Amino acid sequence: MQKSAIYRKVEKNKKIYDSKKLKFIGVDGFDVYNPSIPFEFQNKTYIFGRLEKREEWARSWVRLFEKTGDDTYSLVQNSMIYQLEDPYISKIGDEIVMGGTHVRYSKGEIDTYYGYFYRGLDINNMYYFTTGPDYMKDIRLIELDNGEIGVFSRPRSKEIYKKYGSESIVGFTTVKSLDELCADKIQNAKVVEGLIHNDEWGGCNQCYRLKSGKIGVIGHQSYNDNGVSVYMNTAFVFDPITFEVSDFKIIGTRSCYPEGPSKKPDLVDCAFTSGICKRNDEKVNLYSGIGDCEAGRITIDKMK
């Protein structure tokens, strides 16, 4: 599949006001990539990052970093080490929820992977509390206006491809509390139709409430281009009542970020979305993993 017309349009007309790589201190010998968005806790700014050696794959750890300069984060010494990939953060009530992908091995080979979830009032003292379905990454949570919790799923399997023509799709369901969150609830989430197209895959990376009662979603959409896995930063609006998707757009591609290496040749066009952070102007900072070995930030116009 060649680059889509919409991809080419984004690359031609993109408005990128600032483009930087994130610098991580205290983890020499490791790449840090696919981080969470930066977040505030006790008047400091933190970020969770995925650590992995360049020559290794599916042997990652997630660590906590504190912001110590412009686009610069330092390892929080003696912080918890999570055997996870691709961390994300959300706020549910008074609690912080951190999730990521745990890869399980059997006889030295990858057997399966799950979403693991941790919760707590203190970022330094998080408790593991539930596991997502088999072979499912990128599960995301959001607290809704009615107090329930919205859950975006991302099933991916041969059966999914056979039925929908897509390698992965997105589903949505709700639970009344974190105590109800479990693999069965997530697995049985209703499919969001028409979001992922034939021979593509994608998912949600960050969700936030809109004044309209709808949900703003920052996500990723991917496809194969002559052996290269293309990952793009996307955004759309989701109605949790009608399941309608609107205002879908590509908001970033790998070329929007500074040039740099990739973990493998087929990941040169990979921008795996973290999410956005508001600014004090009419713009937002968009964070993303790049090339499966670094992390970057671009400044773009605020989504209307």
Side-chain angles (χ1 to χ4, degrees), residues 18-24 31-32 35 47 54 67 69-73 254 256-262 286-291 293-299:
D18 196 15
S19 179
K20 302 289 185 182
K21 287 184 182 179
L22 304 189
K23 182 179 180 181
F24 294 92
D31 292 331
V32 182
I47 196 170
R54 183 71 57 85
K67 186 175 183 180
D70 291 342
D71 300 308
T72 301
Y73 296 84
R254 175 62 186 90
C256 297
Y257 298 87
E259 293 183 359
S262 63
L286 169 62
Y287 291 84
S288 182
I290 46 178
C293 63
E294 297 182 299
R297 171 189 63 80
I298 58 176
T299 302

Side-chain angles (χ1 to χ4, degrees), residues 61-217:
W61 295 269
V62 166
R63 298 294 304 272
L64 182 66
F65 295 82
E66 180 184 343
K67 186 175 183 180
T68 53
D70 291 342
D71 300 308
T72 301
Y73 296 84
S74 297
L75 179 68
V76 177
Q77 297 296 330
N78 301 317
S79 58
M80 187 170 177
I81 301 173
Y82 302 88
Q83 196 170 4
L84 297 174
E85 300 177 351
D86 306 344
Y88 89 97
I89 238 16
S90 62
K91 189 76 180 298
I92 305 294
D94 295 329
E95 292 189 86
I96 301 165
V97 176
M98 191 272 280
T101 301
H102 175 76
V103 178
R104 189 179 77 184
Y105 279 80
S106 176
K107 299 179 181 179
E109 300 292 334
I110 293 177
D111 179 38
T112 185
Y113 48 80
Y114 309 93
Y116 273 16
F117 295 88
Y118 295 77
R119 63 191 289 189
L121 299 174
D122 185 343
I123 200 64
N124 300 299
N125 191 24
M126 305 285 283
Y127 291 84
Y128 166 70
F129 73 99
T130 198
T131 301
D134 203 18
Y135 290 109
M136 189 183 296
K137 301 180 178 182
D138 305 328
I139 302 161
R140 295 296 185 265
L141 309 180
I142 177 173
E143 187 174 29
L144 303 176
D145 291 335
N146 62 4
E148 293 187 343
I149 300 168
V151 183
F152 285 94
S153 68
R154 185 184 179 265
R156 182 175 187 173
S157 66
K158 292 180 180 179
E159 290 74 22
I160 291 294
Y161 186 82
K162 183 177 181 180
K163 184 173 181 179
Y164 295 99
S166 308
E167 291 192 37
S168 75
I169 55 175
V170 170
F172 180 80
T173 189
T174 60
V175 293
K176 295 187 181 301
S177 70
L178 289 175
D179 295 331
E180 287 190 4
L181 187 66
C182 65
D184 285 345
K185 286 275 189 179
I186 300 168
Q187 186 69 60
N188 292 314
K190 181 180 176 182
V191 173
V192 179
E193 301 282 355
L195 179 60
I196 310 296
H197 306 297
N198 284 353
D199 293 319
E200 294 182 347
W201 65 97
C204 303
N205 297 79
Q206 179 196 23
C207 316
Y208 54 94
R209 287 182 292 180
L210 302 175
K211 293 180 180 179
S212 63
K214 297 179 181 180
I215 300 172
V217 178

Side-chain angles (χ1 to χ4, degrees), residues 21 29-33 51-59 260-265 267 290-295:
K21 287 184 182 179
F30 289 85
D31 292 331
V32 182
Y33 65 106
L51 282 67
E52 193 169 59
K53 292 184 177 181
R54 183 71 57 85
E55 67 275 10
E56 296 181 336
W57 179 74
R59 188 171 180 254
S262 63
K263 192 174 187 72
K264 298 189 297 181
L267 294 169
I290 46 178
D292 258 15
C293 63
E294 297 182 299

Side-chain angles (χ1 to χ4, degrees), residues 217-283:
V217 178
I218 308 299
H220 66 278
Q221 200 124 332
S222 314
Y223 63 91
N224 187 282
D225 179 15
N226 292 322
V228 173
S229 295
V230 179
Y231 280 75
M232 305 172 288
N233 310 136
T234 64
F236 61 90
V237 174
F238 175 72
D239 188 324
I241 305 300
T242 66
F243 272 59
E244 292 181 350
V245 172
S246 60
D247 201 24
F248 178 88
K249 62 184 70 173
I250 297 172
I251 57 175
T253 61
R254 175 62 186 90
S255 64
C256 297
Y257 298 87
E259 293 183 359
S262 63
K263 192 174 187 72
K264 298 189 297 181
D266 63 337
L267 294 169
V268 295
D269 215 350
C270 176
F272 184 77
T273 313
S274 298
I276 59 172
C277 290
K278 295 180 180 179
R279 295 165 50 99
N280 294 324
D281 51 20
E282 289 300 307
K283 300 175 180 62

Side-chain angles (χ1 to χ4, degrees), residues 1-15:
M1 181 185 295
Q2 299 298 315
K3 286 188 177 180
S4 63
I6 191 170
Y7 189 123
R8 292 194 297 270
K9 184 178 179 181
V10 169
E11 291 187 316
K12 181 180 179 180
N13 300 320
K14 63 189 177 186
K15 292 182 179 179

